[in-house]
Amino acid sequence: TAARAQLLSTAARAQPLTLEDMTDASGMTMASLSPDGRHIAAILFGGTNYVLILIDTETLAVKKLREGGRYSKGYWSYLKAPYNVTWADNDVLAVDYGYDAESMDLEGKKLHTLGETIIGRFGAGGATGDVLVMKDERNHLMARCKARTAQCTKLWHPDGKPVHLAFDKAGTLRAVTVMNSSLFKEATTVANWYKPADKNTWTKLAEFGVDDDYWVPVYVPDELNTLVIGSRAGRDTRALFHYDTVERRQTELLAGHPTQDILWFKGIDKTAFDSVVTGGMMREQVWFDPAWAGMQKQIDVLLPKRVNVISGDPRRAVLVHSYADVDPGAWYYFDIAKKALVMVGKARATVD
């Protein structure tokens, strides 16, 4: 189809870029591979509107699921357009529209309104169907929701705006960083709270000024009275440590780099990390899992001198977000069985 041809085109330009080309922001803004690897959900920006599409990874056929439109709410109207999408399950999407969020099937049919914003998906491994939803941002109300049915469980936390959340492997909120501001004094505080597995009460572990270099909780492991935290204490870069909730002190270093912050991690719920992402002059993803490390090496050979962010299954197929300092980026689908690397979209459609 014409849409597919336009989406997958990689032909070189015959003429230099014009000023109009350079200021044209149309292109793909994000893409995400389904847990089973059968589909890619992506959002396209056409200059004035956003469109959510679905790409079949076997045929590369493209289906339009939802396009932005004008909606009214009270006395004002606005453009309700998809700007972010999360896979809740292999056949259910959670879509953000800026003012609300909903679940959707793979035909573009709305299933349920979920809340104001999708914060993320539960489940480090296979699809669980659960998403973390901001139900009421003004009152800091969050919930864990089943995207297919909109059955939600509220997540209770100490008063304040939650800025960092830490869950255990069962998906229970066990630690949180909250920010509080006073109307009567120029002071904003940041506090870290923890809830043991066998109690319903929260314990404040530490409090900081908003300008302090404070630590944050990132995960609650099975070990008793233990957190995994991100901290710069005693070093120049942010790293991951164990934290003793009884003695209230930072203990064992889990992952760190001497000159770069740890920005992101994968597999924290396992006995060993799958990977960590460092933030230096050039973003780098370091894989500890051999299968993923091998896949990263292959992709970096195929797309050299670029930042290549990979996701999916290193034994079947992966989605690659590839960009560089001189290239706004593109998304590629790598089918391992077919040994085929195919571009499925570009961040700036007019830039080659």
Side-chain angles (χ1 to χ4, degrees), residues 185-312:
K185 59 181 180 179
E186 295 182 4
T188 298
T189 60
V190 176
N192 288 325
W193 295 78
Y194 169 72
K195 183 174 68 173
D198 58 347
K199 297 181 180 179
N200 290 322
T201 56
W202 289 90
T203 299
K204 185 190 290 187
L205 298 177
E207 186 172 282
F208 308 90
V210 69
D211 296 324
D212 295 338
D213 197 2
Y214 53 88
W215 61 265
V216 296
V218 297
Y219 182 67
V220 183
D222 290 336
E223 290 89 343
L224 187 65
N225 302 320
T226 302
L227 290 176
V228 177
I229 67 170
S231 172
R232 286 195 183 90
R235 54 187 293 121
D236 295 328
T237 59
R238 183 168 294 275
L240 298 177
F241 293 88
H242 272 150
Y243 180 91
D244 188 314
T245 62
V246 175
E247 298 184 4
R248 301 190 183 186
R249 65 182 182 89
Q250 178 177 303
T251 58
E252 177 190 7
L253 173 66
L254 301 177
H257 190 286
T259 61
Q260 299 180 29
D261 289 337
I262 300 293
L263 303 179
W264 185 81
F265 44 84
K266 181 178 180 181
I268 197 171
D269 55 331
K270 302 179 182 178
T271 55
F273 289 96
D274 288 336
S275 71
V276 296
V277 174
T278 62
M281 293 294 291
M282 184 173 181
R283 182 188 189 275
E284 182 181 2
Q285 189 162 13
V286 181
W287 292 98
F288 305 110
D289 181 285
W292 277 109
M295 175 56 64
Q296 185 76 58
K297 186 176 181 179
Q298 288 186 61
I299 296 298
D300 289 344
V301 170
L302 293 171
L303 301 169
K305 298 180 180 180
R306 303 172 66 83
V307 175
N308 299 309
V309 183
I310 60 178
S311 60

Side-chain angles (χ1 to χ4, degrees), residues 55-132:
I55 304 171
D56 186 304
T57 57
E58 178 64 28
T59 65
L60 298 180
V62 178
K63 180 194 300 182
K64 182 169 74 172
L65 298 183
R66 186 67 58 87
E67 185 173 3
R70 301 300 303 182
Y71 286 78
S72 297
K73 195 171 186 178
Y75 294 100
W76 53 285
S77 66
Y78 62 97
L79 174 66
K80 181 178 178 180
Y83 78 92
N84 196 23
V85 60
T86 302
W87 286 97
D89 211 333
N90 290 317
D91 59 345
V92 180
L93 296 166
V95 185
D96 268 310
Y97 293 98
Y99 298 97
D100 56 17
E102 65 185 40
S103 54
M104 178 187 298
D105 67 17
L106 301 192
E107 296 300 319
K109 177 185 176 182
K110 175 183 175 179
L111 300 178
H112 298 280
T113 297
L114 297 176
E116 294 183 356
T117 307
I118 304 297
I119 301 173
R121 172 176 169 265
F122 277 92
T128 67
D130 289 7
V131 289
L132 179 61

Side-chain angles (χ1 to χ4, degrees), residues 305-306 323-329 351-352:
K305 298 180 180 180
R306 303 172 66 83
Y323 60 92
D325 56 349
V326 294
D327 184 345
V351 178
D352 289 314

